[in-house]
């Protein structure tokens, strides 16, 4: 039986960062396995025949406030500075998302917009982010009217499509992650560093894993090879419930059916991502040429149709966070804690919606624990 110092399961962001640090900083050998036929997990991208870089699993914009994380990735890619903007079609009008003071002026007549803007600023202050569920609790009649408008037109339809639940049925962090923003800042994110890898995410992963101590095996499911290999340390970035044979039950996820289509036109929409809370069955359309300012006489789009996750049918995308599911996860996590030299990390190991920044922070934290144990 072949023995490895480290086996890292999953070649997504969590696995790639861990493998990189184990090899570079601890000088240890690492076998990385992934059951997919490509690197980069959910961040995977490729350049299509029209010269447009497409994000296979949906649009990815990197952002962080951490200089450490920014500098770490910057060793493996040059960046295309990119401040993301999202529009939403509400009553047939394109408005900035998250809903902000500019959105307000687009949907309401000037006098009403003035009243609502003044009341928002007086009640909550300027440059404040207010979760929609909090805005709905306000006692002022005008702000109640505004809150109902935003709730019904921007949140309700989108949330029902995305989750098949109303905002109230979900953990408050879900709707809280896209708050109402009392500001004129139309950007989707406010982090200090925001960018897309100039040569794509997949190239950045290739560079991160290009180390003589790192061996990568694709199309290799750890669950199928685990009886044939031995290891001193296991880093598992796959689904924690699958590792434990679902002994406490399944952990529910939403999935996405992403349809990628190329249209014979130079430009399709007015922003890289346009949300459709009210119309259609898809939630949003991404137009990929925006992300690296790529020139082509065609344009490639993705349409996202949310659906339930089913083993064998589609991928686990968004964990459905509520008390019952968290309780199931906690039982798996307690078992995981008892396993020596085994670490469950990443979005599937932790059953969390982690953006890239949080995924890397999670890998860094785990790496530091390993390093300090030696
Ligand atoms: C639609 C969408 C849009 C997103 N947009 C953004 C964004 O704009 N900005 C941002 O910061 N973040 C974004 N994210 C989040 C980002 O994708 C994640 O933070 C990141 O990809 C998580 O990396 P990971 O390694 O934890 O998981 P993954 O990328 O899922 O990697 C896990 C890997 O493990 C492999 N695996 C699982 N089980 C096994 C097994 N038994 N054997 C072998 N291999 C296995 C899987 O095949 C997979 O490749 C987005 C996510 C989605 C879904």
């Amino acid at each position: 039986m072949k023995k490895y110092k480290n086996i890292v399961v999953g070649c997504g962001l969590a696995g790639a960062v861990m493998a990189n640090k184990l090899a570079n900083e601890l000088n240890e050998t690492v076998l990385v396995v992934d059951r997919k036929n490509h690197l980069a997990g959910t961040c995977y991208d490729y350049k299509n025949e029209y010269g447009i870089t497409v994000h296979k699993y949906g649009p990815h914009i990197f952002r962080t406030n951490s200089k450490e994380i920014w500098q770490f990735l910057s060793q493996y890619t040059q960046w295309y500075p990119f401040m993301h903007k999202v529009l939403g079609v509400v009553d047939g009008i394109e408005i900035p998302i998250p809903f902000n003071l500019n959105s307000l002026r687009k949907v309401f007549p000037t006098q009403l917009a003035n009243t609502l803007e003044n009341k928002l600023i007086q009640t909550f202050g300027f440059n404040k982010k207010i979760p929609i569920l909090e805005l709905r609790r306000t006692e002022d009649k005008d702000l109640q009217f505004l809150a109902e408008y935003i709730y019904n037109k921007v949140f309700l339809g989108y949330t029902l499509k995305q989750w098949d639940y109303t905002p109230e049925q979900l953990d408050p962090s879900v709707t809280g992650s896209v708050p109402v923003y009392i500001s004129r800042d139309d950007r989707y994110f406010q982090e200090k560093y925001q960018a897309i890898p100039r040569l794509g995410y997949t190239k950045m992963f290739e560079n991160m894993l290009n180390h003589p101590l790192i061996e990568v095996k694709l199309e290799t499911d750890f669950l199928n090879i685990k009886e044939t290999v031995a290891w001193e340390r296991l880093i598992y970035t796959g689904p924690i419930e699958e590792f434990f044979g679902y002994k406490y039950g399944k952990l529910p996820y939403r999935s996405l059916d992403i349809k990628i289509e190329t249209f014979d036109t130079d430009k399709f929409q007015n922003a890289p991502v346009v949300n459709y809370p009210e119309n259609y069955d898809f939630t949003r359309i991404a137009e990929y040429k925006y992300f690296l300012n790529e020139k082509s006489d065609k344009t490639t789009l993705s349409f996202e149709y949310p659906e339930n996750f089913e083993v064998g049918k589609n991928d686990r995308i968004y964990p459905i966070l509520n008390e019952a599911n968290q309780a199931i996860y906690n039982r798996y996590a307690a078992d995981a804690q008892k396993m020596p030299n085994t670490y469950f990390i990443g979005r599937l190991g932790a059953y969390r919606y982690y953006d890239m920044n949080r995924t890397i922070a999670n890998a860094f934290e785990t790496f530091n624990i390993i390093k300090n144990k030696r």
Side-chain angles (χ1 to χ4, degrees), residues 9-15 33-36 40-43 57-63 189 220-223 236-239 242 256 258 284 304 317-318 346-348 353-357 359:
V9 179
C11 207
L13 191 57
V33 295
D34 202 299
R35 58 186 171 201
K36 291 199 160 103
T42 315
C43 300
Y57 300 95
H60 276 68
I61 298 92
F62 179 71
R63 81 257 182 196
F189 306 118
T220 305
D221 192 323
F222 174 74
L223 301 174
Y236 199 83
T237 75
E242 196 181 65
L256 285 178
I258 299 200
R284 59 180 188 170
E304 292 180 27
I317 300 291
Y318 302 107
R347 63 184 199 95
L348 301 165
Y353 180 79
Y354 278 165
D355 61 17
M356 289 184 268
N357 173 55
T359 302

Side-chain angles (χ1 to χ4, degrees), residues 88-93 95 97 99 107-108 132 145-159 161 275-279:
V89 179
V90 169
D91 288 341
I93 302 168
I95 61 167
I97 300 286
F99 194 98
V107 291
F108 296 120
I132 182 62
F145 158 79
L146 175 66
E148 287 315 295
Y149 182 92
I150 302 173
Y151 177 84
N152 285 308
K153 301 278 182 184
V154 178
F155 282 89
L156 186 59
Y158 197 91
T159 311
K161 272 196 265 183
N275 289 359
Y276 290 86
E278 297 182 293
N279 299 96

Side-chain angles (χ1 to χ4, degrees), residues 176-243:
S177 69
V178 190
V180 175
Y181 193 16
I182 306 173
S183 161
R184 297 214 181 282
D185 183 348
D186 283 343
R187 293 171 308 164
Y188 199 70
F189 306 118
Q190 277 70 45
E191 277 88 342
K192 176 168 179 179
Y193 305 101
Q194 307 185 26
I196 314 265
R198 277 262 287 279
L199 299 177
Y201 287 96
T202 308
K203 186 73 196 161
M204 179 176 85
F205 276 71
E206 275 170 28
N207 293 339
M208 223 189 298
L209 292 163
N210 182 11
H211 192 289
L213 295 177
I214 300 177
E215 181 188 350
V216 178
K217 284 189 183 171
L218 296 176
E219 297 181 271
T220 305
D221 192 323
F222 174 74
L223 301 174
N224 295 337
I225 62 154
K226 66 179 182 186
E227 314 300 342
T228 63
V229 285
W231 57 88
E232 284 179 36
R233 194 186 291 119
L234 182 68
I235 316 289
Y236 199 83
T237 75
I240 190 167
E241 70 280 21
E242 196 181 65
F243 179 90

Side-chain angles (χ1 to χ4, degrees), residues 1 23 26 30 34 37 85 98-99 102 109 115 137 151 153 169 178 196 202 238 247 254 288-289 310 312-313 316 353:
M1 184 180 285
L26 301 188
V30 191
D34 202 299
N37 64 1
K85 290 196 178 165
F99 194 98
N102 294 333
T115 307
R137 287 196 291 271
Y151 177 84
K153 301 278 182 184
Q169 291 171 312
V178 190
I196 314 265
T202 308
K247 67 176 174 178
R254 283 294 269 176
Y288 287 94
K289 67 194 326 184
E310 287 173 42
K313 178 185 164 198
R316 292 168 172 86
Y353 180 79

Side-chain angles (χ1 to χ4, degrees), residues 4 27 52 71 109 130 162 190 223 264 290 303 358 367:
Y4 293 91
N27 217 18
I52 299 168
Q71 286 181 334
I130 313 297
Q162 176 89 333
Q190 277 70 45
L223 301 174
D264 196 7
Y290 274 100
F303 299 74
R358 190 70 196 89
F367 176 75

Side-chain angles (χ1 to χ4, degrees), residues 24-306:
N24 270 317
E25 294 183 36
L26 301 188
N27 217 18
E28 291 182 358
T29 54
V30 191
L31 170 70
V32 192
V33 295
D34 202 299
R35 58 186 171 201
K36 291 199 160 103
N37 64 1
H38 58 70
L39 303 178
T42 315
C43 300
Y44 173 71
D45 60 11
Y46 60 94
K47 207 178 251 265
N48 71 10
E49 62 203 285
Y50 310 109
I52 299 168
T53 305
V54 179
H55 302 177
K56 182 175 179 192
Y57 300 95
H60 276 68
I61 298 92
F62 179 71
R63 81 257 182 196
T64 185
N65 279 324
S66 160
K67 193 165 190 168
E68 186 192 3
I69 289 177
W70 177 252
Q71 286 181 334
F72 171 79
L73 289 183
S74 301
Q75 300 171 87
Y76 306 106
T77 186
Q78 288 185 311
W79 296 103
Y80 182 73
F82 185 85
M83 300 255 175
H84 192 36
K85 290 196 178 165
V86 175
L87 294 174
V89 179
V90 169
D91 288 341
I93 302 168
E94 291 181 339
I95 61 167
I97 300 286
F99 194 98
N100 65 17
L101 297 179
N102 294 333
S103 320
L104 189 109
R105 298 215 161 262
K106 289 209 174 227
V107 291
F108 296 120
T110 310
Q111 226 179 334
L112 180 56
N114 287 343
T115 307
L116 294 170
E117 181 169 316
N118 288 336
K119 285 206 170 180
L120 273 176
I121 295 169
Q122 274 161 20
T123 312
F124 298 103
F126 186 72
N127 207 27
K128 291 284 178 319
K129 292 180 175 175
I130 313 297
I132 182 62
L133 298 180
E134 185 182 329
L135 188 63
R136 281 186 100 202
R137 287 196 291 271
T138 169
E139 286 181 0
D140 180 279
K141 287 273 166 299
D142 290 329
L143 290 184
Q144 266 177 16
F145 158 79
L146 175 66
E148 287 315 295
Y149 182 92
I150 302 173
Y151 177 84
N152 285 308
K153 301 278 182 184
V154 178
F155 282 89
L156 186 59
Y158 197 91
T159 311
L160 281 170
K161 272 196 265 183
Q162 176 89 333
W163 296 98
D164 208 17
Y165 287 117
T166 62
E168 291 77 13
Q169 291 171 312
L170 291 162
D171 188 277
S173 65
V174 176
T175 42
S177 69
V178 190
V180 175
Y181 193 16
I182 306 173
S183 161
R184 297 214 181 282
D185 183 348
D186 283 343
R187 293 171 308 164
Y188 199 70
F189 306 118
Q190 277 70 45
E191 277 88 342
K192 176 168 179 179
Y193 305 101
Q194 307 185 26
I196 314 265
R198 277 262 287 279
L199 299 177
Y201 287 96
T202 308
K203 186 73 196 161
M204 179 176 85
F205 276 71
E206 275 170 28
N207 293 339
M208 223 189 298
L209 292 163
N210 182 11
H211 192 289
L213 295 177
I214 300 177
E215 181 188 350
V216 178
K217 284 189 183 171
L218 296 176
E219 297 181 271
T220 305
D221 192 323
F222 174 74
L223 301 174
N224 295 337
I225 62 154
K226 66 179 182 186
E227 314 300 342
T228 63
V229 285
W231 57 88
E232 284 179 36
R233 194 186 291 119
L234 182 68
I235 316 289
Y236 199 83
T237 75
I240 190 167
E241 70 280 21
E242 196 181 65
F243 179 90
F244 287 108
Y246 300 100
K247 67 176 174 178
Y248 302 126
K250 290 182 180 166
L251 284 172
Y253 280 87
R254 283 294 269 176
S255 188
L256 285 178
D257 181 12
I258 299 200
K259 299 221 179 323
I260 294 173
E261 291 185 38
T262 297
F263 285 14
D264 196 7
T265 179
D266 173 45
K267 188 177 146 204
F268 176 77
Q269 59 191 25
N270 293 319
V273 170
V274 177
N275 289 359
Y276 290 86
E278 297 182 293
N279 299 96
Y280 309 114
D281 297 328
F282 50 79
T283 46
R284 59 180 188 170
I285 303 177
E287 184 164 11
Y288 287 94
K289 67 194 326 184
Y290 274 100
F291 294 119
L292 293 168
N293 193 23
E294 288 166 326
K295 307 292 175 210
S296 172
D297 55 1
K298 307 238 189 293
T299 194
T300 301
L301 314 170
S302 66
F303 299 74
E304 292 180 27
Y305 294 85

